[in-house]
Amino acid sequence: MAIESNNETKREAPIRLGMVGGGSGAFIGAVHRMAARLDGEFQLVAGALSSTPEKAKASGLELGLDPARTYSDFKEMAIREARLKDGIEAVAIVTPNHVHYAAAKEFLKRGIHVICDKPLTSTLGDARKFKKLVDESDALFVLTHNYTGYPMVRQARAMVAEGAIGAVRLVQMEYPQDWLTEAVEKTGSKQASWRTDPAQSGAGGSTGDIGTHAYNLGCFVSGLELDELAADLDSFVEGRPLDDNAHVMMRFKEKDGVRAKGMLWCSQVAPGHENGLQVRIYGTKGGLEWTQKDPNYLWYTPFGEPKRLITRAGAGAGPEAARVTRIPGGHPEGYLEGFANIYMEAARAIHARRKGTAPDAEVLYPTIDDGMKGMLFVDACVQSSKRNGAWVKA
Amino acid sequence: MAIESNNETKREAPIRLGMVGGGSGAFIGAVHRMAARLDGEFQLVAGALSSTPEKAKASGLELGLDPARTYSDFKEMAIREARLKDGIEAVAIVTPNHVHYAAAKEFLKRGIHVICDKPLTSTLGDARKFKKLVDESDALFVLTHNYTGYPMVRQARAMVAEGAIGAVRLVQMEYPQDWLTEAVEKTGSKQASWRTDPAQSGAGGSTGDIGTHAYNLGCFVSGLELDELAADLDSFVEGRPLDDNAHVMMRFKEKDGVRAKGMLWCSQVAPGHENGLQVRIYGTKGGLEWTQKDPNYLWYTPFGEPKRLITRAGAGAGPEAARVTRIPGGHPEGYLEGFANIYMEAARAIHARRKGTAPDAEVLYPTIDDGMKGMLFVDACVQSSKRNGAWVKA
Amino acid sequence: MAIESNNETKREAPIRLGMVGGGSGAFIGAVHRMAARLDGEFQLVAGALSSTPEKAKASGLELGLDPARTYSDFKEMAIREARLKDGIEAVAIVTPNHVHYAAAKEFLKRGIHVICDKPLTSTLGDARKFKKLVDESDALFVLTHNYTGYPMVRQARAMVAEGAIGAVRLVQMEYPQDWLTEAVEKTGSKQASWRTDPAQSGAGGSTGDIGTHAYNLGCFVSGLELDELAADLDSFVEGRPLDDNAHVMMRFKEKDGVRAKGMLWCSQVAPGHENGLQVRIYGTKGGLEWTQKDPNYLWYTPFGEPKRLITRAGAGAGPEAARVTRIPGGHPEGYLEGFANIYMEAARAIHARRKGTAPDAEVLYPTIDDGMKGMLFVDACVQSSKRNGAWVKA
Amino acid sequence: MAIESNNETKREAPIRLGMVGGGSGAFIGAVHRMAARLDGEFQLVAGALSSTPEKAKASGLELGLDPARTYSDFKEMAIREARLKDGIEAVAIVTPNHVHYAAAKEFLKRGIHVICDKPLTSTLGDARKFKKLVDESDALFVLTHNYTGYPMVRQARAMVAEGAIGAVRLVQMEYPQDWLTEAVEKTGSKQASWRTDPAQSGAGGSTGDIGTHAYNLGCFVSGLELDELAADLDSFVEGRPLDDNAHVMMRFKEKDGVRAKGMLWCSQVAPGHENGLQVRIYGTKGGLEWTQKDPNYLWYTPFGEPKRLITRAGAGAGPEAARVTRIPGGHPEGYLEGFANIYMEAARAIHARRKGTAPDAEVLYPTIDDGMKGMLFVDACVQSSKRNGAWVKA
């Protein structure tokens, strides 16, 4: 219940938001819009929702945008909005991966904050330029590795940092799905089509789309940095150019005197799994387990004691969970609330920027560096697999 | 993913919404606001957020309301907003129960639609007047029995209606909580204080606060009507004037040749339960089980076959679930999304009203009649318990 | 791992066991035999496995019994075995309910210990005579309310007794099944046939067969005694003379200053439930929950702290669980092991009797008094239901 | 309920059984004895329970063995029992791994059937000699990879064989434990001591003790054969000479046109896991998931349909499960019942051997070849890990 009650003084005017991509039929664009709306901190006022003018226009109408601020070209949108007195302050980029960098560049260089979907780009080259661009920009850059917005993921991270499980030895990550079990990319699914196309997605299939999420989550919670990995990638469906399953072994850099190990499994061909994201972390003094299927719960075992079920907003949940929770315990929060927490953190940072101050120390969102790590992870997976599972530095 | 994609033509202008109650520190007011915001169909533009002027003003500021439209008296708000050209079209009433009727009256009689929290009122007398008022009003009345907004609850209702479990024999409902295990109403909790005060809550404690939800859900899913009940109510915490636990046996009216039976347990003194709402329904051909803890799942057993796990937006979920779901299966939706579905249905009905048409046949929300049933349920529970558990007609 | 390691000195010779009932095709007879064999404390040496001579003979052969000790008349068996130098020391009675008393009488009066299935008898009259008989006999009487043999049920009982949940307020019991959803008693099922026949089962259907188990378990764990109950019994399947569903409200006798309440639901017509036995107990300081589906786990919530999962032989399990557990934690034990624990306790008592000593204080098994309570429970349910759910003293 | 009802004619005389190892305080010896007793098919009549004469004698007394048949030397036991007219027909070998081969040799060469714990031996050299010995012996050899005795594991295997999930693509195995999280081998635990000692256990720690189980189960259910693996082994606890955690990637031999992949994780340092054995198999048409924590359940997802929960002895379970189940659905069976199923299968084979016939085609138990595969798996893991995770042929 912390989110509204933090606003004890006059509410800031909503942040004027634009969107690139996310026209009719897109999945993630609608998610970003709901996440932006939930807490009332953003107002969508402009969009380049599609590069097809007709579709851009229709999508703008559907969303109630002013036709004058409905664009089919993101560059035009950046230029014109930058000139408006009440032009957009931030933009959400929700296109396929290969457009992220080019779009972000136009906004960042005009001082418009960018909230960008992951993975960062479709090529490592673009990613490196992207990193440079963001580092040199005054505008903010937020990457929506949204799972880090779940309250119990924050709780887990805080517990590891506080030593609740001792020195970390093991990080077991997985993200199985089943929606690409058959060759749906050949039967007209727009989602399946671009996500299995190297030109739009990049070098990674399941690794880029969901493996990066699992990897990001493992690092976020454990506080560890990857040293090297060995991967075995497959495309089980005939004719699919990108991996639809990946098995990865990991070695992390030493921390607290321990060189932790890990495994990551991501798959789009595992029937029975919708979005089975899970992270399990074990240390010298205990273990923590979280799964997206039951996002309001965190299993905690202090070694030698009974397992405990820590619930969002319940006994055992600390301030890190409380500041990103909206409703009392026992009323489940879900994916959209977690996603909205990233937008809420972005809003806090942008509000501070408006005032010329630094955001509160607690404000936490995924950055360009997390994006780079994801790109390097995909690249390492692909390189390792090509070299028959050799260990590759991340 | 049905919600946005239904809007295939120009989006309607958001509905101008006011709020009565819901000032700083309130729980349910914030929930209504998030539910109203999620789909962009409402815009909060006015409020009588507290009857204390200072608090009303501060709360308005926090929410970014125009100070000119921040009131401390709901009657004044009704009068003035009704006169404005762009005054509120609908009002959310989120006060303690004893204020519902008086507040709703002022808006309904001025043609302003009312979205009201449950239970309907604090007295049966008020409830009867309320029913008459609504029946005679041209404005819409929506009661936020929010659990009926969960997609899998809709799915269950549709399956029962289609005969998936045959004729219903048994309806087992429960809603255990633990937050009143000790006398927190004596230690400054505002929530606990009014919810255990007969003057503000009415004759029912746990029965009114949560029993009505479980009862509403049992009827919603089963399609049955209660005939009579026998109840045993307790106030386990010393000095608490209202029930904090209720055991209820039920007999439903005959349907499909069967006179179904049921049990309902609601409790606020059951340690380990946050909001353990659950409904289980068994018929001649199968069973259905749903629990709020895992709201994206519905267990279905066709008699003589293995149990099946139907997931929101997954295989086995039908159009009734799809039209109130926002994101793909496997990404959990929660309490706020379910609550927002009631607001979405209200928006659909209000949009139709704007155009002078009838809403689509699928539009479904709890009505004044559901509110009356809840009041009669509480009254029957209290009467039965006073008469040592005698059967009382509902 | 306590069971074998308790035997630190010379093992006792196995107890010579007979059996009445349990011929080919019976369910519970085979369960008793496996339970008796598991720990090597009993040896089946004689049987009146059926009253049909041919079937008795065949069943004896199947079990490898000496044909000379295979009887078709339990009285003959009692007389002859009592005369043998190495005749049976104990007999297991596993017939339909109406035979229990007559059979037990023949053995008890000859000093042969009796291990008898539940419910005690088919009539309250027989039950009262049975009680008198046992009280006057020197032989031991053990009733196989087997669920009290589960380690985590023992653990729960110990925790309640030690005050882990404070004074008990609520006892919620249920035992739903689905095997009688249709009229299988008319299609040749022997099990269904006698269990729905008043002449063989007694006045209670689901109440006698499974309700007694749930009730026994609720009392065993809570340490409470029932004061009165109100019941609503149904026979949902047309033409079925005994109840196949029961809803019961309960009031317990005051203990620790609290008059606890409870509910019990037993059903044989709830599709999706195989043997859904569950008991949940809530007190002033915490809650405990156990379900047969996951028998190796006990959920414990100290009020205001996270839920804990206590596992059989794991951290948090105490000596009461340890003395009835055989294998390390994480390797599941089940129904047979729990049943065998009752046999193990019986063996301990019989071994002590051999030596003329009292058994250890920890030895715990269901007695004739538990049997009487079960009979009174069924009778009170039937009486209450006939009187339209009036409260009836138990 | 199939087990007793299969014996429709005269029961065979119990098989005379001896035991090597399993003296006081041992874990697995007691498990073997209970498994052997449960169905009454074996009678323990001799033992070399310890190589320490005093302890052997005391252990024999505890178990009620004839002192004349209590040995401290397994060779002496083999020689003397082979000469007795009613000497043992079979022997259970339950010593630490390094003794298995030497002990088995003495019995096999005298025609005494051997039931041996796993892993097969402590060295690959011994394993190869063992294989030769068994192949040349007329006596039977049964390896207690006991998890293959669980009814739902049998069910899963049958479903894969029948094509329920199409061609297998993925086999995900894991077996995490936490009992070696700290250096308990240095604090007097006998179990921990020998299981972390290369001289007694062999080259594998967690890989040998539990990894072999997970691997055996993955192959048993999938019907696949391993081609090669890449492994990363760790000893997280300082000074521990054997692995306590292993991460393994696997490539199976082609079957049904697919070259399946897999992952295996076994760990003894994962706090919160008692015996978390799990196998998940995904194919072109569906998925199957089984975990030892809930052994009576099997999750089955036909691709594109809702998940189904198949229960032991419930709807959806076939003859392969039924023939190794003892009690009705909903009454949980556990580890001992699964273990006893291996003994039951051994008994069926031995009974057939007594008569000079072949056992029924359905009789199924782990063989010397399964033992060899386990040894090769451990060796490949160790070799791969030494070579920095290179792929090693299995």
Side-chain angles (χ1 to χ4, degrees):
Chain A
M1 285 175 286
I3 286 177
E4 284 221 4
S5 65
N6 278 346
N7 303 312
E8 298 196 356
T9 52
K10 189 185 176 320
R11 193 185 193 85
E12 303 287 339
I15 296 157
R16 297 180 303 278
L17 181 71
M19 179 168 278
V20 178
S24 303
F27 150 54
I28 205 68
V31 167
H32 278 252
R33 288 191 292 268
M34 289 186 276
R37 275 196 301 257
L38 184 63
D39 298 303
E41 299 290 347
F42 291 87
Q43 187 168 10
L44 184 69
V45 295
L49 303 163
S50 171
S51 53
T52 311
E54 200 158 273
K55 195 173 162 196
K57 194 176 162 188
S59 296
L61 271 179
E62 277 179 37
L63 293 173
L65 291 185
D66 179 351
R69 297 175 78 176
T70 300
Y71 310 86
S72 58
D73 177 344
F74 57 74
K75 186 169 178 180
E76 184 197 348
M77 172 163 140
I79 293 169
R80 290 180 52 179
E81 289 289 327
R83 289 183 192 147
L84 290 177
K85 193 187 146 196
D86 61 348
I88 59 170
E89 304 170 83
V91 69
I93 298 176
V94 298
T95 62
N97 310 339
H98 67 303
V99 181
H100 290 177
Y101 168 61
K105 190 165 67 171
E106 298 303 327
F107 295 92
L108 286 172
K109 71 184 187 188
R110 290 175 175 89
I112 294 169
H113 310 303
V114 168
I115 299 169
C116 183
D117 211 65
K118 49 57 56 192
L120 193 55
T121 62
S122 57
T123 72
L124 201 48
D126 273 3
R128 292 202 168 102
K129 289 186 279 183
F130 209 153
K131 158 86 174 138
K132 190 161 179 290
L133 176 72
V134 170
D135 286 349
E136 293 171 353
S137 168
D138 283 340
L140 295 165
F141 179 81
V142 175
L143 192 75
T144 51
H145 263 309
N146 57 290
Y147 300 107
T148 64
Y150 273 117
M152 299 320 277
V153 168
R154 300 279 178 113
Q155 172 72 23
R157 174 184 163 99
M159 290 177 73
V160 173
E162 288 158 12
I165 63 166
V168 176
R169 287 171 169 168
L170 294 165
V171 185
Q172 306 292 107
M173 298 148 277
E174 65 181 53
Y175 198 151
Q177 298 180 323
D178 65 6
W179 70 299
L180 295 179
T181 294
E182 298 180 350
V184 283
E185 64 267 39
K186 295 183 181 163
T187 58
S189 161
K190 183 187 162 184
Q191 288 295 321
S193 176
W194 80 258
R195 288 180 199 262
T196 60
D197 173 13
Q200 297 183 73
S201 276
S206 67
T207 43
D209 196 22
I210 52 177
T212 48
H213 273 308
Y215 169 58
N216 174 259
L217 201 59
C219 294
F220 181 82
V221 174
S222 70
L224 297 179
E225 295 212 13
L226 184 60
D227 182 13
E228 56 186 358
L229 62 75
D232 200 24
L233 273 51
D234 283 277
S235 300
F236 279 108
V237 171
E238 210 185 307
R240 182 170 288 164
L242 293 179
D243 64 87
D244 51 23
N245 189 82
H247 287 154
V248 190
M249 301 197 298
M250 293 182 176
R251 294 169 177 165
F252 294 90
K253 291 181 182 162
E254 187 175 316
K255 194 178 172 195
D256 302 332
V258 176
R259 199 182 181 205
K261 298 291 180 76
M263 276 186 125
L264 186 149
W265 171 47
C266 59
S267 185
Q268 294 162 326
V269 295
H273 288 283
E274 293 181 325
N275 284 287
L277 176 62
Q278 185 184 57
V279 62
R280 299 180 290 177
I281 301 193
Y282 306 100
T284 52
K285 294 184 180 169
L288 284 169
E289 298 170 336
W290 180 85
T291 174
Q292 192 194 208
K293 206 176 53 176
D294 293 310
N296 296 277
Y297 302 100
L298 176 66
W299 283 102
Y300 168 48
T301 309
F303 180 62
E305 296 183 28
K307 258 180 196 279
R308 293 169 195 184
L309 185 60
I310 301 178
T311 63
R312 184 189 54 76
E320 291 82 0
R323 65 183 287 285
V324 290
T325 192
R326 289 168 181 80
I327 51 174
H331 288 314
E333 290 188 356
Y335 175 89
L336 287 172
E337 288 86 341
F339 213 108
N341 285 336
I342 304 297
Y343 266 83
M344 192 69 210
E345 298 284 35
R348 287 173 179 138
I350 294 172
H351 287 317
R353 194 59 70 94
R354 276 182 180 174
K355 297 180 203 159
T357 61
D360 288 345
E362 297 84 22
V363 170
L364 182 65
Y365 54 78
T367 66
I368 187 72
D369 291 322
D370 295 302
M372 274 307 298
K373 282 182 194 166
M375 294 302 296
L376 292 169
F377 163 79
V378 173
D379 186 66
C381 285
V382 171
Q383 297 309 322
S384 172
S385 192
K386 279 185 187 160
R387 293 165 50 201
N388 195 26
W391 289 94
V392 171
K393 291 280 172 186
Chain B
M1 286 173 286
I3 285 177
E4 285 220 3
S5 65
N6 278 345
N7 304 312
E8 297 194 356
T9 53
K10 187 183 178 322
R11 195 185 192 81
E12 303 286 339
I15 296 159
R16 299 181 301 278
L17 182 71
M19 181 169 274
V20 179
S24 306
F27 150 53
I28 205 69
V31 166
H32 278 252
R33 288 190 294 268
M34 289 185 276
R37 275 196 300 258
L38 185 63
D39 298 302
E41 299 291 347
F42 291 88
Q43 188 169 11
L44 184 68
V45 295
L49 303 163
S50 170
S51 53
T52 309
E54 200 158 89
K55 196 174 161 196
K57 194 177 161 186
S59 297
L61 272 177
E62 277 178 38
L63 293 172
L65 290 186
D66 179 352
R69 295 175 79 175
T70 301
Y71 309 86
S72 59
D73 177 346
F74 58 73
K75 187 170 178 180
E76 184 197 347
M77 172 164 141
I79 293 170
R80 290 179 51 179
E81 290 288 327
R83 287 183 194 148
L84 291 176
K85 193 186 146 195
D86 62 348
I88 59 172
E89 302 169 84
V91 68
I93 298 177
V94 298
T95 62
N97 311 339
H98 68 301
V99 181
H100 290 177
Y101 169 62
K105 191 165 67 170
E106 296 303 327
F107 295 91
L108 286 173
K109 71 184 186 188
R110 289 175 178 88
I112 294 169
H113 309 303
V114 168
I115 298 168
C116 182
D117 210 66
K118 51 56 53 191
L120 193 56
T121 62
S122 58
T123 71
L124 201 48
D126 273 4
R128 293 201 168 104
K129 287 186 280 182
F130 210 151
K131 157 86 173 138
K132 192 162 177 290
L133 176 71
V134 170
D135 286 349
E136 294 171 354
S137 169
D138 281 339
L140 293 166
F141 179 82
V142 175
L143 192 75
T144 52
H145 263 308
N146 57 290
Y147 300 106
T148 63
Y150 273 116
M152 298 320 276
V153 167
R154 299 277 179 115
Q155 172 73 23
R157 173 185 163 97
M159 291 178 73
V160 173
E162 288 159 12
I165 62 166
V168 175
R169 286 171 170 168
L170 294 166
V171 185
Q172 306 293 106
M173 297 148 279
E174 64 181 53
Y175 198 151
Q177 299 181 322
D178 65 6
W179 69 300
L180 295 179
T181 293
E182 297 181 350
V184 284
E185 63 267 40
K186 295 183 181 162
T187 58
S189 160
K190 184 187 161 184
Q191 287 296 322
S193 175
W194 81 257
R195 287 180 201 263
T196 60
D197 174 11
Q200 295 182 75
S201 276
S206 67
T207 44
D209 197 21
I210 52 177
T212 48
H213 274 309
Y215 169 58
N216 174 259
L217 202 59
C219 294
F220 182 81
V221 174
S222 70
L224 296 180
E225 294 210 15
L226 184 60
D227 181 14
E228 57 187 356
L229 63 74
D232 201 24
L233 272 53
D234 283 277
S235 301
F236 279 109
V237 170
E238 209 184 308
R240 183 170 287 164
L242 294 179
D243 64 88
D244 52 23
N245 189 82
H247 286 154
V248 189
M249 302 196 298
M250 292 183 178
R251 294 168 178 167
F252 293 91
K253 290 181 184 162
E254 187 174 315
K255 195 180 171 194
D256 301 330
V258 177
R259 198 181 183 205
K261 298 294 180 76
M263 277 186 123
L264 186 150
W265 171 46
C266 59
S267 184
Q268 295 163 324
V269 295
H273 289 282
E274 294 182 325
N275 284 287
L277 177 62
Q278 185 185 56
V279 62
R280 300 180 288 177
I281 302 195
Y282 306 100
T284 51
K285 294 184 180 167
L288 284 168
E289 298 171 336
W290 181 85
T291 173
Q292 192 194 208
K293 207 177 52 177
D294 294 311
N296 296 276
Y297 303 100
L298 176 67
W299 283 102
Y300 167 49
T301 310
F303 180 63
E305 296 182 29
K307 259 181 195 278
R308 293 170 194 183
L309 185 60
I310 300 176
T311 64
R312 185 190 53 76
E320 292 82 0
R323 64 182 289 284
V324 289
T325 191
R326 288 169 182 79
I327 51 175
H331 288 315
E333 291 188 356
Y335 174 89
L336 287 173
E337 288 86 341
F339 213 108
N341 284 336
I342 304 297
Y343 266 84
M344 192 69 208
E345 297 284 36
R348 286 172 178 140
I350 294 171
H351 286 319
R353 194 60 69 94
R354 276 181 180 173
K355 299 178 201 161
T357 61
D360 287 345
E362 297 83 24
V363 170
L364 182 65
Y365 53 78
T367 66
I368 187 73
D369 292 321
D370 294 301
M372 274 307 299
K373 281 182 195 166
M375 294 302 295
L376 292 169
F377 163 78
V378 172
D379 186 67
C381 285
V382 171
Q383 296 310 322
S384 172
S385 193
K386 278 187 187 159
R387 292 165 49 201
N388 195 29
W391 289 95
V392 170
K393 290 280 169 184
Chain C
M1 284 174 287
I3 285 177
E4 283 221 4
S5 65
N6 278 344
N7 304 312
E8 297 193 357
T9 51
K10 188 184 177 320
R11 193 184 193 82
E12 303 286 340
I15 295 158
R16 299 180 301 278
L17 181 71
M19 180 167 279
V20 178
S24 304
F27 150 53
I28 206 68
V31 167
H32 278 253
R33 288 191 293 266
M34 289 186 276
R37 277 197 298 258
L38 185 62
D39 299 302
E41 299 290 347
F42 291 87
Q43 188 169 11
L44 184 68
V45 294
L49 303 163
S50 171
S51 53
T52 309
E54 200 157 273
K55 195 172 162 197
K57 194 177 162 187
S59 297
L61 271 178
E62 277 179 37
L63 293 172
L65 291 186
D66 179 350
R69 295 174 79 175
T70 301
Y71 309 85
S72 57
D73 176 346
F74 58 73
K75 187 168 176 180
E76 184 196 347
M77 170 163 142
I79 293 168
R80 290 179 51 179
E81 290 289 327
R83 285 184 195 148
L84 291 177
K85 194 186 148 196
D86 61 349
I88 59 172
E89 302 170 84
V91 69
I93 298 176
V94 298
T95 62
N97 310 339
H98 68 300
V99 180
H100 290 177
Y101 168 63
K105 193 165 66 169
E106 298 303 326
F107 294 92
L108 286 172
K109 72 184 188 190
R110 290 175 176 87
I112 294 169
H113 309 304
V114 168
I115 299 169
C116 182
D117 211 64
K118 50 57 54 192
L120 193 56
T121 62
S122 58
T123 71
L124 201 49
D126 272 4
R128 292 201 169 104
K129 287 187 279 182
F130 210 152
K131 158 85 174 140
K132 190 161 178 289
L133 176 71
V134 170
D135 286 350
E136 292 172 354
S137 169
D138 281 339
L140 293 166
F141 180 82
V142 175
L143 192 74
T144 51
H145 263 308
N146 57 291
Y147 300 107
T148 63
Y150 273 117
M152 299 319 277
V153 167
R154 299 278 179 116
Q155 172 73 22
R157 174 184 162 99
M159 291 178 73
V160 173
E162 287 159 11
I165 62 166
V168 176
R169 286 171 170 168
L170 294 166
V171 185
Q172 306 291 107
M173 297 148 277
E174 65 181 53
Y175 199 151
Q177 298 180 324
D178 66 6
W179 69 299
L180 295 179
T181 292
E182 298 180 349
V184 283
E185 63 267 39
K186 295 182 181 163
T187 58
S189 160
K190 183 186 163 186
Q191 288 295 320
S193 174
W194 80 257
R195 286 179 202 264
T196 59
D197 173 12
Q200 295 182 74
S201 276
S206 68
T207 44
D209 197 21
I210 53 178
T212 47
H213 273 309
Y215 169 59
N216 175 258
L217 201 60
C219 294
F220 182 81
V221 175
S222 71
L224 297 180
E225 295 212 11
L226 183 60
D227 182 14
E228 56 187 357
L229 63 74
D232 200 25
L233 271 53
D234 283 278
S235 301
F236 279 108
V237 171
E238 211 185 306
R240 184 170 286 164
L242 294 178
D243 64 88
D244 52 24
N245 189 83
H247 287 153
V248 189
M249 302 196 299
M250 292 182 177
R251 295 169 177 164
F252 292 91
K253 291 182 183 161
E254 186 174 315
K255 193 178 173 195
D256 301 330
V258 177
R259 197 182 182 205
K261 298 292 180 77
M263 277 185 123
L264 186 150
W265 171 46
C266 59
S267 185
Q268 294 162 325
V269 294
H273 288 282
E274 293 182 324
N275 285 288
L277 177 62
Q278 185 184 56
V279 62
R280 299 180 291 177
I281 302 195
Y282 306 100
T284 51
K285 294 184 179 168
L288 284 169
E289 298 169 337
W290 180 85
T291 174
Q292 193 196 206
K293 207 176 53 176
D294 294 310
N296 295 277
Y297 303 102
L298 176 66
W299 283 101
Y300 167 49
T301 310
F303 181 62
E305 296 182 29
K307 258 181 196 279
R308 293 170 194 181
L309 185 60
I310 301 177
T311 63
R312 184 189 54 76
E320 291 83 359
R323 65 183 289 283
V324 290
T325 192
R326 289 169 182 78
I327 51 175
H331 288 314
E333 290 188 356
Y335 174 89
L336 287 173
E337 288 85 340
F339 213 108
N341 285 336
I342 304 297
Y343 266 84
M344 193 68 209
E345 298 283 36
R348 287 172 178 139
I350 294 170
H351 286 318
R353 194 59 69 94
R354 277 182 180 173
K355 299 180 204 160
T357 62
D360 286 346
E362 298 83 23
V363 170
L364 181 66
Y365 54 78
T367 65
I368 187 73
D369 291 322
D370 294 302
M372 273 308 297
K373 282 182 194 167
M375 294 303 295
L376 292 168
F377 163 78
V378 173
D379 186 65
C381 286
V382 172
Q383 295 310 322
S384 172
S385 193
K386 277 187 187 160
R387 292 165 51 200
N388 195 28
W391 289 95
V392 170
K393 290 282 172 184
Chain D
M1 284 173 287
I3 286 177
E4 284 222 2
S5 64
N6 279 346
N7 303 312
E8 297 195 356
T9 51
K10 189 183 177 321
R11 193 184 193 84
E12 303 287 338
I15 295 158
R16 297 180 302 278
L17 182 71
M19 180 167 277
V20 178
S24 304
F27 150 54
I28 205 67
V31 167
H32 278 252
R33 289 191 292 269
M34 289 186 276
R37 275 198 299 257
L38 185 62
D39 298 302
E41 299 290 347
F42 292 87
Q43 188 168 11
L44 185 68
V45 294
L49 304 162
S50 170
S51 54
T52 310
E54 199 159 273
K55 196 173 161 197
K57 192 178 163 188
S59 297
L61 271 179
E62 277 178 37
L63 293 172
L65 292 185
D66 178 351
R69 297 174 78 176
T70 302
Y71 309 85
S72 57
D73 177 345
F74 58 74
K75 186 169 177 179
E76 184 197 348
M77 172 163 140
I79 293 169
R80 291 181 49 181
E81 290 289 327
R83 286 183 195 148
L84 290 178
K85 191 187 148 198
D86 61 349
I88 58 172
E89 302 169 83
V91 68
I93 298 177
V94 297
T95 63
N97 310 339
H98 66 302
V99 180
H100 290 177
Y101 169 63
K105 191 165 68 169
E106 298 302 329
F107 295 91
L108 287 172
K109 71 184 187 188
R110 291 177 176 88
I112 295 169
H113 310 304
V114 168
I115 299 168
C116 182
D117 211 64
K118 48 58 54 192
L120 193 57
T121 62
S122 57
T123 72
L124 201 48
D126 273 3
R128 293 201 168 105
K129 288 187 278 182
F130 210 151
K131 159 85 174 136
K132 189 161 179 290
L133 176 70
V134 169
D135 286 349
E136 293 172 353
S137 168
D138 282 338
L140 294 166
F141 180 80
V142 175
L143 192 75
T144 51
H145 263 308
N146 57 290
Y147 300 107
T148 64
Y150 273 117
M152 298 320 277
V153 168
R154 300 277 178 114
Q155 172 72 22
R157 173 184 164 97
M159 291 178 73
V160 173
E162 288 158 12
I165 62 167
V168 175
R169 287 170 169 169
L170 294 165
V171 185
Q172 306 292 107
M173 298 147 278
E174 65 181 53
Y175 198 151
Q177 298 181 323
D178 66 7
W179 71 298
L180 295 179
T181 293
E182 298 180 348
V184 284
E185 63 267 39
K186 295 182 180 162
T187 59
S189 161
K190 182 186 162 187
Q191 288 295 321
S193 175
W194 81 257
R195 287 180 201 263
T196 60
D197 173 11
Q200 296 182 75
S201 276
S206 67
T207 44
D209 197 20
I210 52 178
T212 47
H213 274 308
Y215 168 59
N216 174 258
L217 201 58
C219 295
F220 181 81
V221 174
S222 70
L224 297 179
E225 294 211 15
L226 184 61
D227 181 15
E228 56 186 357
L229 62 75
D232 200 25
L233 272 52
D234 283 277
S235 300
F236 280 109
V237 171
E238 211 184 308
R240 183 170 289 165
L242 293 179
D243 64 88
D244 51 24
N245 189 82
H247 287 155
V248 189
M249 301 196 298
M250 293 182 177
R251 295 169 178 165
F252 293 90
K253 291 182 183 159
E254 187 175 315
K255 193 179 173 196
D256 301 331
V258 177
R259 198 182 182 204
K261 298 292 181 77
M263 278 186 120
L264 186 149
W265 171 46
C266 59
S267 185
Q268 293 162 327
V269 295
H273 288 283
E274 294 182 325
N275 285 288
L277 176 62
Q278 185 184 56
V279 63
R280 299 179 292 176
I281 302 194
Y282 306 100
T284 51
K285 294 185 180 168
L288 284 169
E289 297 169 336
W290 180 85
T291 174
Q292 192 194 207
K293 207 177 54 178
D294 294 311
N296 296 277
Y297 302 100
L298 176 67
W299 283 102
Y300 168 49
T301 309
F303 180 61
E305 296 183 29
K307 257 180 197 278
R308 293 170 195 182
L309 185 60
I310 300 178
T311 63
R312 185 189 53 75
E320 291 82 1
R323 65 183 287 286
V324 290
T325 192
R326 290 169 181 79
I327 50 175
H331 289 314
E333 289 188 357
Y335 175 88
L336 287 173
E337 288 86 341
F339 213 109
N341 285 336
I342 304 298
Y343 266 84
M344 192 68 210
E345 299 282 36
R348 286 172 178 140
I350 295 171
H351 286 317
R353 195 59 71 93
R354 276 183 180 172
K355 298 180 204 159
T357 62
D360 287 344
E362 298 83 22
V363 169
L364 182 65
Y365 53 79
T367 66
I368 187 73
D369 291 321
D370 295 301
M372 273 309 296
K373 283 182 192 166
M375 294 303 294
L376 292 169
F377 163 80
V378 172
D379 186 66
C381 286
V382 171
Q383 295 310 321
S384 172
S385 192
K386 278 186 185 159
R387 293 165 50 202
N388 195 29
W391 289 96
V392 171
K393 291 280 171 185

